[in-house]
Amino acid sequence: MKRIFEINPWQVTTHEFNPADKRLQESITSIGNDYMGMRGNFEEGYSGDSLQGTYLAGVWFPDKTRVGWWKNGYPKYFGKSINAPSFIGIGININGEKLDLATSKIKDFSFSLDMHQGLLTRSFTYLGTTTTVRFEFQRFLHIKQKEAALINVVATVLTGKAKITFTATLDGTVTNEDSNYNEHFWQSCGEDSDQRTIQVKTIPNPYGVPQFTVLLKQGLRHNNHFVKGMVTTTKAGLSEKLTVDLNSGDRYNLEKDVIVVTSRDVEPEMQAQKAAELMTRLQAKSFAENLAEHTAIWQRRWEKSDVVITGNDLAQQGIRFNILQLFMTYYGEDKRLNVGPKGFTGEKYGGATYWDTEAFIFPMYLCVAKPNVTRALLQYRHDQLAGAYQNAKDLGLKGALFPMVTFNGLECHNEWEITFEEIHRNADIAFAIKRYTSYTGDESYVKNEGMDVLVETARFWADRVHYSKWRQKYVMHGVTGPNEYENNVNNNWFTNLMAQWVLQYTLERLPLADPAAQKRVHVSEQEKANWQDIIANMYLPEDHERGIFLQQDDFLDKDLQPAKEIPATERPINQHWSWDKILRSPFIKQADVLQGIYYLDDRFTKEEKERNFDFYEPLTVHESSLSPCVHSILAAELGKKKQSVALYERTARLDLDNYNNDTTDGLHITSMSGSWLAIVQGFAGMRYDKEQLKFNPFVPDNWQNYSFKLNYRNRLIKVAVSHDEVKLDLISGKQLTVMVKDQQVELKEGEVACLKV
Amino acid sequence: MKRIFEINPWQVTTHEFNPADKRLQESITSIGNDYMGMRGNFEEGYSGDSLQGTYLAGVWFPDKTRVGWWKNGYPKYFGKSINAPSFIGIGININGEKLDLATSKIKDFSFSLDMHQGLLTRSFTYLGTTTTVRFEFQRFLHIKQKEAALINVVATVLTGKAKITFTATLDGTVTNEDSNYNEHFWQSCGEDSDQRTIQVKTIPNPYGVPQFTVLLKQGLRHNNHFVKGMVTTTKAGLSEKLTVDLNSGDRYNLEKDVIVVTSRDVEPEMQAQKAAELMTRLQAKSFAENLAEHTAIWQRRWEKSDVVITGNDLAQQGIRFNILQLFMTYYGEDKRLNVGPKGFTGEKYGGATYWDTEAFIFPMYLCVAKPNVTRALLQYRHDQLAGAYQNAKDLGLKGALFPMVTFNGLECHNEWEITFEEIHRNADIAFAIKRYTSYTGDESYVKNEGMDVLVETARFWADRVHYSKWRQKYVMHGVTGPNEYENNVNNNWFTNLMAQWVLQYTLERLPLADPAAQKRVHVSEQEKANWQDIIANMYLPEDHERGIFLQQDDFLDKDLQPAKEIPATERPINQHWSWDKILRSPFIKQADVLQGIYYLDDRFTKEEKERNFDFYEPLTVHESSLSPCVHSILAAELGKKKQSVALYERTARLDLDNYNNDTTDGLHITSMSGSWLAIVQGFAGMRYDKEQLKFNPFVPDNWQNYSFKLNYRNRLIKVAVSHDEVKLDLISGKQLTVMVKDQQVELKEGEVACLKV
């Protein structure tokens, strides 16, 4: 754990600059506008250790798969949202010295992310031999005009004279740290000094993946007037140099406006013209006006989705940071996109789509966004069915296997123990259909496109199990469950359970599907009978003595000991232990059996839940960012409030406090929803089943109260929980009956229902 | 299966040239002199698909490890015997046309490997528009003067006139097919036109592995007179051009002599001088004289080691090819070397040392070579103990873990399921000590250096098991047995058995070790007691109902079906099935339980052997070259003669008949000893235990007879087996009593004991 930013309900601020924490600082100061994003790199450049990163949503490259020995079934490439051309650069030279926080002497450093609108500000005083200059930067990515980035820098000479040269750059010569051989993924298509543009294109690939073309344009303003510097270009690069002579007390501001258009939206040959139009539109307003417009939109987002915690700024800051980062990554406005595990904050996981979306993002967005957003996330998978058929076929299996990692439906990750084995994703994706249908009440997807997804994933499962004559049961060998600290296990309870669930749910929904869909999927009576047989005879390992479900066949054969006995110096174990030691250990990375209990909540008794929680949680090291939230929710349900709160704190401040010592690589975007779920499903005990919303709330001891809002079937409901009462405010929408602690409560628009608890 | 060479007891010849079989042909026509070797590439070059390869024993490069996601414990590099500068090149141009068998019109092609001495000859008639020319090539790598390669080409003009340009080249610009990014592993240190030398050095590496420097020198002769051509050099390349004008009926021969010295033997600055001396020595004799000298040495090798089979040329050719290729790879004359799985015949497996040496090479070389050769192989591992400690430490374990793949003792292979899990190698290596000691009667190793190896591997095993409270036994999780078609299994019977054996044997030998060794290894009473406890309580999975040992805990849970039901079009399965399908299948790559029964032969009853053989062999696809021999030997012992012979044929002609459809990559050198073992331990039933050699021979139905020789405790014994008698001839050495089919037979030098059977 490492906390380098100060506690504040709306700000993430530090007054320290420690080069050793540069990468961590950069991750946490990442900003995005769900079109593009970047790490908190410095405009003036930085010669010390740093991860430079800019990412454009949906712009990716199929990099050659790295592997020791090839295994049949491996995908040819690993897809990644590559590091895009950097456009934040404003090199600064003062009296001949290059400003570089790795070498320059400075004081009064401040760096702050304002969570109201994702505005990044930074300031410090440069201490030259004869001159001191105060620098103040502001940067934001426009939330309305998505293609626009705005940067403002103000230099104020405090003492001495300063000849300052600003060099505003566009740089397409960037590389990825995770590239195989430091190769460049971008090639130049030309630079235009007059237009201040560079245009680059991803290098060709042999996999038939389209090449992306990106055009970047910059424009400089001083005091809201256009200024022009000396431009020089190099391959894929452009620099515009402007020198000012300032005396003591002088103040100079330079604004850099940037437009980024990509071939996802604009044909390459039209990009220059489009960018010029967008720049004109942007520059029709001042920096302040653009910021105000941007902030106003963010304000509306917060009005719908803010979670307010009173009495605990630590918790407040955590949840706001997570909501901000989630919305900066994905707000459902571009249906072609999905949510990468690191969003725009680093290279790890390559910005591709994982099961994280369905398992962790989906249940939160169901509640905070309009149904068309989650419907689009479902549709995204349906659109990729062709790839999923291919993935199953590549393994020699029937039906559809959704990929572990993808941009287009085809698998693009190549560790066999993950790609071939972590197949529970195929059930997680089906399960999102059920979640959507039961929360929104909208059956249009499950009756049509959703039926394709259900039937084809069911077909996969029916082929993936085999009948063990020895056990007289259907078994499933060679899987990796959500606990990735075990690989290639047999009969992972969670996977077997969820495979069975997919078959059940599919059979249940099939007769209700639209006739055309029923005809299209064509499930024969024989196939149904086979599915029924598998459902009835699926092997779900249990230990009757302990009254627990078994994570996998041999789990009890391990050297079981609680995680708390691992020395602190060896945590996280994934950074200290060999993979061999981890695999053989009894320690669990993230909820596995408990994930199943969380999903199929209503199938298990409280006693079953409790026994399994008490057995597995102590073995769990929570080294996946996806882990603490599920445990927090279950702990809340089981009345283990303290534990629930402790786990919430871990999920809420995972990045702010660098819990797993890996935030340097980027933020854990897809698990950020976990803190929201921990509050709403955990502390507030929200469930939706049998067509009703239910709550069973409590307030953590060290909070005064909290409130959140739910978008539920055309209604906006505010739920405010304090130690002695629950207030339910139907802000808009038709009246509704919800259940609070076994009590039916009638909600009417404009009235606040207040219940003592 | 694909046979492209003709059947002949001493020749491997083809008269066909099919470009589609070029790589296969190249592999089979590989030659070597246990200092260097090469694939059967064409001197004149070849523009079609081909794997160009020259390899120098012990000259390797630590290539960057290729991996998708890094796992703790992975080695930083993958070591490989890199493709060395090519020195066979003699480009040929006839009347302006480049001779290239991919494009030129030819007839009467012949390509032959003479197994008497590894002489490669090739001839064909070039059909030009106005000219026909007969070309004849001879090539061998000098077995006495190891640094020397000799090539002779003869052109005879059959019709028309021919202006022929020969371009003799040295080429250090070669690359590896398996390189990550087609990078060059060699850099030039300079070329010398006058001296006809190039000198190259492996590129730097960040792993502290020494760089190798190699100097190559060529000299041309015509009719045994020196000739000189026009020399041009490029970076790491040298060409020497010579043009002759020939009329119809003219015959011209050109001899290319090559010297290759490496920094393993000669300091870089001394290489030019040393090569000049060696060239002078080589060229003091004619090509014919050098060949005669070379052949004489091979003749002596064959006299000691030939296996003669009468009545079956298929079998005869197979065993001779294997012995030839083995001796061309390794003859125990350089103690720094070991035996790479593909020798000098391809890139696969990188020419490093594997457990193949101890398990398969060792038992043959014990019998065909002097004890100092196998002693040196044992010493090789002792010399690498420092690396083995490091390997264990990297996994967080005590003692020594010998690597899966190595040049220097450090692990250099990075698939976790192999590197971290296929740890049975640590027992195979210890087991070779027992084999050596009991066959040679020489206890000097086991009492000294061997004790370090035994104790440190024992310590590894004692740490690697854990006590399962559930089973009340010591168990071993997360291993890959010899059957690499299962990964990360628990309680692999073979590994558990052999771990137990190492502990037992170590405890048994420890009190007999030299006092200094005992003191050095320092095994406390407590440690001994722990080992005893493990030995007594090791879990060895069995199925009592079937009376078999279980390959691993869940083996019977698989969908068991005989391998013969796999459609022929899907064999070998490793080329047709996804890794997922293979892992979950019941099919076995190579002996696993049966490897344990083969090793600890005297522990099991015939019934136990039979039940296990009958259960496992039908599930075995023999897709490892190491598989058929062990099965052949066991089948012979169990009286399943037909099956034993069929399996022999598969091991003996694995490459000649391209059984596993992968000989294109190179020959399966380390399994070639398997055919020798199948004859000697299988058909002849040779065993050595309780200080006695034993035989229980039979002759395959379709053979007349066979004979082989054994080097046993300072004796050379010839064993000749026919359908009705066994002849034992003690060619040299003190008298000896051996057992033949339960009969004690006294052997005296010079007398032939003849027994009716």
Side-chain angles (χ1 to χ4, degrees), chain A residues 71-72 415 468 487-488 557, chain B residues 71 415 468 487-488 557:
Chain A
K71 296 186 170 76
N72 286 339
E415 309 280 290
S468 163
N487 287 159
N488 195 42
D557 202 23
Chain B
K71 296 186 169 75
E415 309 280 291
S468 162
N487 287 159
N488 195 41
D557 201 24

Side-chain angles (χ1 to χ4, degrees), chain A residues 737-749:
Chain A
T737 309
V738 301
M739 191 178 262
V740 180
K741 286 188 183 285
D742 307 323
Q743 198 178 335
Q744 296 288 351
V745 182
E746 189 85 6
L747 303 185
K748 283 183 190 153
E749 190 171 345

Side-chain angles (χ1 to χ4, degrees), chain A residues 667-709:
Chain A
L667 303 175
H668 299 82
I669 296 294
T670 43
S671 61
M672 285 181 159
S673 55
S675 48
W676 189 94
L677 293 170
I679 291 178
V680 176
Q681 297 185 354
F683 304 165
M686 189 274 272
R687 299 286 182 278
Y688 48 94
D689 62 15
K690 303 192 183 70
E691 303 293 308
Q692 193 172 35
L693 275 184
K694 300 178 178 178
F695 300 92
N696 184 23
F698 75 94
V699 181
D701 288 342
N702 57 346
W703 299 10
Q704 286 172 25
N705 57 57
Y706 61 94
S707 69
F708 58 88
K709 288 168 187 156

Side-chain angles (χ1 to χ4, degrees), chain A residues 39 130 208-209 304 368 371 398 416 461 468 557 580 698 704 741:
Chain A
R39 294 169 54 80
T130 58
V209 171
K304 284 190 210 151
V368 299
K398 293 179 186 143
W416 63 270
W461 288 118
S468 163
D557 202 23
D580 168 63
F698 75 94
Q704 286 172 25
K741 286 188 183 285

Side-chain angles (χ1 to χ4, degrees), chain A residues 63-74 78 179-181 183 349 354 394-397 405 413-418 420-421 463-471 473 475-478 484 486-491 539 543 546 550 552-560 573-584, chain B residues 63-74 78 179-181 183 349 354 394-397 405 413-418 420-421 463-471 473 475-478 484 486-491 539 543 546 550 552-560 573-584:
Chain A
D63 200 12
K64 187 172 163 180
T65 290
R66 286 193 288 194
V67 65
W69 287 357
W70 196 263
K71 296 186 170 76
N72 286 339
Y74 273 172
F78 180 80
S179 65
N180 293 308
Y181 271 73
E183 68 272 43
Y349 307 116
Y354 285 66
D394 286 348
L395 294 188
L397 291 161
V405 179
H413 177 75
N414 72 307
E415 309 280 290
W416 63 270
E417 66 275 19
I418 303 293
F420 300 167
E421 300 208 331
D463 197 29
R464 186 57 169 72
V465 300
H466 73 264
Y467 189 74
S468 163
K469 295 192 195 82
W470 194 51
R471 285 197 199 275
K473 286 278 184 185
V475 297
M476 193 158 9
H477 280 197
E484 291 170 321
E486 290 190 320
N487 287 159
N488 195 42
V489 301
N490 294 336
N491 295 312
Y539 175 58
D543 181 66
R546 288 170 185 76
L550 282 179
Q552 44 101 349
D553 278 353
D554 284 349
F555 195 78
L556 292 179
D557 202 23
K558 291 195 161 194
D559 187 12
L560 301 177
I573 59 172
N574 70 26
Q575 291 175 19
H576 293 89
W577 289 6
S578 74
W579 189 239
D580 168 63
K581 187 167 177 178
I582 289 174
L583 284 182
R584 294 189 291 116
Chain B
D63 201 10
K64 187 172 164 180
T65 291
R66 285 195 287 195
V67 66
W69 287 356
W70 196 264
K71 296 186 169 75
N72 286 341
Y74 274 173
F78 181 81
S179 65
N180 293 310
Y181 270 73
E183 68 271 42
Y349 306 117
Y354 285 66
D394 286 349
L395 294 188
L397 291 162
V405 179
H413 178 74
N414 72 308
E415 309 280 291
W416 64 270
E417 65 275 19
I418 303 293
F420 300 168
E421 300 208 330
D463 196 29
R464 186 58 168 73
V465 299
H466 73 264
Y467 189 75
S468 162
K469 295 192 194 85
W470 193 50
R471 287 197 198 275
K473 287 276 185 186
V475 297
M476 193 159 9
H477 279 199
E484 291 170 320
E486 289 189 320
N487 287 159
N488 195 41
V489 300
N490 294 337
N491 296 312
Y539 176 58
D543 180 67
R546 289 169 184 77
L550 282 180
Q552 43 101 350
D553 279 353
D554 284 348
F555 195 78
L556 292 179
D557 201 24
K558 292 196 162 195
D559 187 13
L560 300 176
I573 59 173
N574 70 28
Q575 291 175 18
H576 293 89
W577 288 6
S578 74
W579 189 240
D580 168 64
K581 187 166 177 178
I582 289 174
L583 285 182
R584 293 188 292 116

Side-chain angles (χ1 to χ4, degrees), chain A residues 323-344:
Chain A
I323 295 172
L324 172 77
Q325 288 291 352
L326 276 168
F327 287 178
M328 290 201 299
T329 305
Y330 184 80
Y331 203 68
E333 293 174 352
D334 183 339
K335 296 197 187 334
R336 299 166 298 179
L337 299 177
N338 208 288
V339 193
K342 299 248 161 224
F344 304 119

Side-chain angles (χ1 to χ4, degrees), chain A residues 626-643:
Chain A
L626 306 171
S627 186
C629 65
V630 173
H631 289 87
S632 176
I633 294 166
L634 287 175
E637 182 178 342
L638 295 170
K640 299 168 188 288
K641 294 182 188 177
K642 271 219 168 97
Q643 199 171 359

